[in-house]
Amino acid sequence: MSELAGKFSGKIYWIVGASEGLGRSLAKQLSAEGAQLIVSARSAERLESLSDELPNTRAVPLDVTDTEMVRQAAAEIGPVDGLIYNAGAYDPMRATEWNSDSALMMCDVNFTGAMRVLGAVVPEMVAARQGDITLVGSLAGYRGLPAAIGYGASKAALMSLAETMRLDLKGTGVLVRIVNPGFIKTRLTQKNTFKMPMLMTPEVAAERVVKAMRKRRFRTDFPAPFSWVIRAFNALPDWLVYRGK
């Protein structure tokens, strides 16, 4: 049995945001390694097609912006060994073209939705003194970028949340990590009109996430060297970044 199979075989993982793209590819890869899955997203139809395709996979439709629905889903599912929060919303938006409904929706799905799900899961994990949590962030969370109103801020908030949880949960048996991918070829990134550097398929991105889940490392940024460029940009002084602005 491979190291990967040994880690995931027989474990129960709840993937939130599993109906398509990265989440769907993660479900397929973890299932192939013997994990038992609960898959959630808003689209019941896409979830059912996924659960029909994979063994030991159960579909639980979920809208992460609905607090009561999240609580009911968590109660229905019961204890899990691991949680992957991959729910995401994205609309390219400049501050000069502000759309409050869209901006708030991105924040609600990308960050506040994570708070709802984690609030329903973390206390049980702490009580059980075991759990594995993976939050899917974005390289866009490292610094304010053009046309990223709502999206960049919500991913930065998710990154801060992960940092706090990693510190607070030390010694509890609950491990938290964040993975920050670059551009992934999905329905969401099809909205971009610019050339996306080092664009990945969902399958390749899922391989990187699963690889990160094998380790205890807190933060995984990919792909390199695009992630190095973003981190270097984050280190630049404000006077240089906003010169002439």
Side-chain angles (χ1 to χ4, degrees), residues 3-244:
E3 178 187 351
L4 185 60
K7 178 175 178 62
F8 299 113
S9 182
K11 299 292 182 65
I12 302 173
Y13 278 82
W14 184 12
I15 306 177
V16 180
S19 62
E20 57 185 301
L22 174 60
R24 196 176 189 94
S25 292
L26 280 170
K28 292 179 179 180
Q29 292 191 27
L30 290 174
S31 177
E33 298 299 336
Q36 300 177 38
L37 303 177
I38 297 100
V39 291
S40 291
R42 284 179 296 182
S43 173
E45 183 178 348
R46 286 197 291 265
L47 287 178
E48 288 297 338
S49 71
L50 179 61
S51 62
D52 288 344
E53 182 180 345
L54 302 178
N56 299 314
T57 298
R58 175 184 172 196
V60 178
L62 177 65
D63 181 350
V64 298
T65 69
D66 186 327
T67 301
E68 188 56 36
M69 190 176 187
V70 169
R71 290 172 178 164
Q72 291 177 359
E76 176 187 342
I77 290 166
V80 296
D81 297 298
L83 167 71
I84 302 172
Y85 190 84
N86 179 61
Y90 171 67
D91 277 321
M93 185 194 307
R94 293 184 178 273
T96 52
E97 301 165 345
W98 199 294
N99 180 314
S100 287
D101 289 342
S102 179
L104 290 171
M105 178 271 295
M106 283 186 272
C107 291
D108 205 8
V109 173
N110 298 344
F111 174 65
T112 311
M115 295 286 280
R116 292 186 183 95
V117 174
L118 290 165
V121 171
V122 170
E124 284 195 1
M125 286 185 171
V126 171
R129 299 196 64 79
Q130 70 85 30
D132 188 270
I133 298 171
T134 301
L135 303 178
V136 178
S138 170
L139 294 179
Y142 276 114
R143 186 146 198 162
L145 299 172
I149 291 293
Y151 185 78
S154 61
K155 290 299 187 176
L158 189 69
M159 196 177 297
S160 177
L161 172 63
E163 291 167 352
T164 297
M165 291 176 64
R166 181 75 173 212
L167 292 170
D168 286 350
L169 294 172
K170 182 179 179 180
T172 65
V174 182
L175 182 70
V176 178
R177 71 178 61 80
I178 187 162
V179 294
N180 297 307
F183 294 109
I184 303 173
K185 190 174 183 180
T186 66
R187 173 180 54 85
L188 297 181
T189 55
Q190 286 177 354
K191 300 176 182 180
N192 290 332
T193 57
F194 55 87
K195 182 176 175 58
M196 292 172 278
M198 302 189 72
L199 182 66
M200 298 171 284
T201 65
E203 292 77 16
V204 168
E207 288 174 3
R208 296 298 302 271
V209 174
V210 171
K211 182 179 179 180
M213 291 173 63
R214 297 173 62 178
K215 304 173 183 177
R216 295 188 61 83
R217 185 194 329 182
F218 169 64
R219 189 190 316 264
T220 300
D221 302 326
F222 63 94
F226 182 52
S227 61
W228 304 340
V229 173
I230 294 294
R231 294 298 299 270
F233 181 65
N234 183 52
L236 292 176
D238 288 342
W239 67 264
L240 182 58
V241 174
Y242 303 114
R243 183 177 54 185

